[in-house]
Every structure is written in C-alpha cells, then in structure tokens.
Amino acid sequence: MSFLRLSLVAILFTCCSGVAMAQNANEPALATVGMTTRAYVDGARKNWQDTGPRPLNTVIWYPAAAGSPTQQFVATAENTKFFGDPAIGKFFTEIPVAFDAPPLAAAQKRPLILLSHGSTSLSLELMWLGDYLASHGYIVAA
C-alpha cells in the first residue's frame, strides 16, 4: 500500500474514531434499518480469477419505513455471495434489520456513505457501522 493511501486511511480512522467516541452509545436510533443487496457487474475489469467480468456484490443499509418488520440477520447458504461462508456468521453479532423494506419516506435528501471493506474482507464485517449510520439517517453501501 502506498504511503499516501496508508496516510489517508490513518486520517480517516482517526476522524471516524473521534466521531464515534463523541456519540452517546445510548442514543436511540432515529429509524428502523432496512437492508438490501444488489449484484452489479464491472464489465471493464476481470474478476480475481481472470475468468470473467468482476462482480460487485453490494449491501445497502438505509432508513426503512416506520413499522417495517425486522428480524435478526444471519449469514446463510442462500446469501453466500454477499456475506461469505455461513460458518463465519457465528463470529458476528446478529443485528435486527428490515430486509428489502420500503425506504423511509421523507422530503429531505439523505447522504450516501460508501464503505470499503477491502479486497479480502466481507461487507458483513461492517454491518455494525452500516446499521448504526442507517439508523441515524444515512444510506450506506458496502
């Protein structure tokens, strides 16, 4: 990793840590969190095996409509392409989300945050952050 990238990551981590510490851990969520997945393809780049186009499996957390039913999210064999091997699910806290719920209707625009989990990681590893940000009004994609 280049010095510039490493420096930017360190600065981002420092800034985010300060913001996270400034937040009240007991602050109530402003919205139910919705979660959905999308499978995109980058036809301009090859996948890691160099056998076809590069998949961009994306998880999106967002403020969901009031009253949307939630359930504990668990990695399963059906969602492996988004969350990896279901066996690793036991290492993560189960977070209640409203899967594929309609978004919260509001007149205001919502900021979009893009989370990069790295090339050898899974979006599931950032679910705690995506959930928190979405519960406070952000749309988050990883």
Side-chain angles (χ1 to χ4, degrees):
M1 182 179 277
S2 73
F3 177 75
L4 178 60
R5 284 186 182 180
L6 188 57
S7 298
L8 290 173
V9 168
I11 290 168
L12 179 62
F13 179 75
T14 302
C15 292
C16 290
S17 297
V19 170
M21 286 190 273
Q23 296 290 332
N24 181 350
N26 296 321
E27 181 180 306
L30 303 176
T32 299
V33 174
M35 182 173 141
T36 191
T37 56
R38 296 290 184 267
Y40 300 105
V41 176
D42 181 354
R45 296 188 294 169
K46 296 285 187 182
N47 63 15
W48 295 111
Q49 296 77 26
D50 200 29
T51 58
R54 187 176 204 167
L56 298 171
N57 297 319
T58 305
V59 179
I60 303 166
W61 296 276
Y62 55 94
S68 296
T70 62
Q71 62 183 25
Q72 298 290 345
F73 172 79
V74 181
T76 64
E78 291 78 35
N79 56 31
T80 298
K81 78 175 182 178
F82 293 99
F83 306 109
D85 184 351
I88 66 166
K90 64 184 174 187
F91 298 109
F92 299 100
T93 301
E94 293 180 7
I95 296 176
V97 294
F99 204 76
D100 288 332
L104 179 64
Q108 67 182 19
K109 293 181 179 180
R110 302 211 175 268
L112 171 65
I113 296 177
L114 301 176
L115 297 179
S116 174
H117 49 74
S119 63
T120 59
S121 297
L122 302 168
S123 55
L124 183 61
E125 294 172 7
L126 293 174
M127 186 168 180
W128 64 273
L129 181 57
D131 179 78
Y132 178 83
L133 292 169
S135 74
H136 288 79
Y138 295 89
I139 297 171
V140 183

